Amino acid sequence: LLLLLLDIDLAHEGESGDENISEGTINDSNSCQNSNNEECQSTDRIFMLEEIKKHDGANEGELIYLSILGKVYDVTAGEEYYSSRLKAPYAIFAGRDGVVPFITGVFTEEEAMKATDELTDQQMNSLRTEW
């Protein structure tokens, strides 16, 4: 698998149903222009879940992002592996947090729609110990 890490955090949908980011800082916001604020010096970039969903490789030439455990990866260079337009073998991961299919090895839409609370205790332990 070809993964290019963009040191980016993506929060999962919270219990309240909000799709908000819970970690990281925005270094390109208007509030950081000409600022000495320590948070503005970060190289992290924050994405909303809706933005990640737009980058699934459905359109030629667009960026392709995927997220695993809240880390966002730019996999555009591996379009032949991740593009939904090309029906690529790992397209199930593009434009979403694909932690469940990543852990289970089942690369179907149904599996990708599952929440992490549907993982077994053994699978959850592998998340904690291996990641």
Side-chain angles (χ1 to χ4, degrees):
L1 293 175
L2 175 64
L3 297 178
L4 304 173
L5 176 62
L6 288 174
D7 192 16
I8 299 168
D9 288 324
L10 169 70
H12 297 282
E13 185 171 333
E15 290 179 18
S16 66
D18 293 335
E19 292 183 345
N20 294 318
I21 300 305
S22 62
E23 297 181 14
T25 58
I26 303 173
N27 66 349
D28 58 350
S29 74
N30 291 333
S31 64
C32 287
Q33 290 180 355
N34 301 317
S35 173
N36 289 325
N37 183 335
E38 187 174 304
E39 289 184 359
C40 294
Q41 305 305 315
S42 171
T43 59
D44 291 351
R45 174 158 177 227
I46 298 174
F47 284 97
M48 299 300 289
L49 186 55
E50 290 304 314
E51 185 177 356
I52 297 296
K53 289 178 181 179
K54 294 176 186 176
H55 297 286
D56 65 355
N59 299 307
E60 188 173 357
E62 78 174 12
L63 296 173
I64 304 172
Y65 295 151
L66 65 81
S67 175
I68 302 291
L69 292 174
K71 290 288 188 181
V72 176
Y73 300 88
D74 178 352
V75 295
T76 307
E79 178 183 33
E80 67 273 19
Y81 302 105
Y82 297 101
S83 173
S84 62
R85 177 180 54 82
L86 300 175
K87 296 183 177 28
Y90 301 113
I92 198 68
F93 294 103
R96 68 175 80 218
D97 192 303
V99 69
V100 173
F102 180 74
I103 293 300
T104 65
V106 178
F107 299 164
T108 65
E109 184 67 28
E110 180 181 357
E111 192 74 358
M113 297 301 293
K114 290 182 180 179
T116 54
D117 63 357
E118 295 183 53
L119 294 171
T120 67
D121 289 341
Q122 182 179 8
Q123 290 166 331
M124 289 301 292
N125 283 335
S126 74
L127 285 175
R128 289 185 199 103
T129 59
E130 296 177 25
W131 291 91

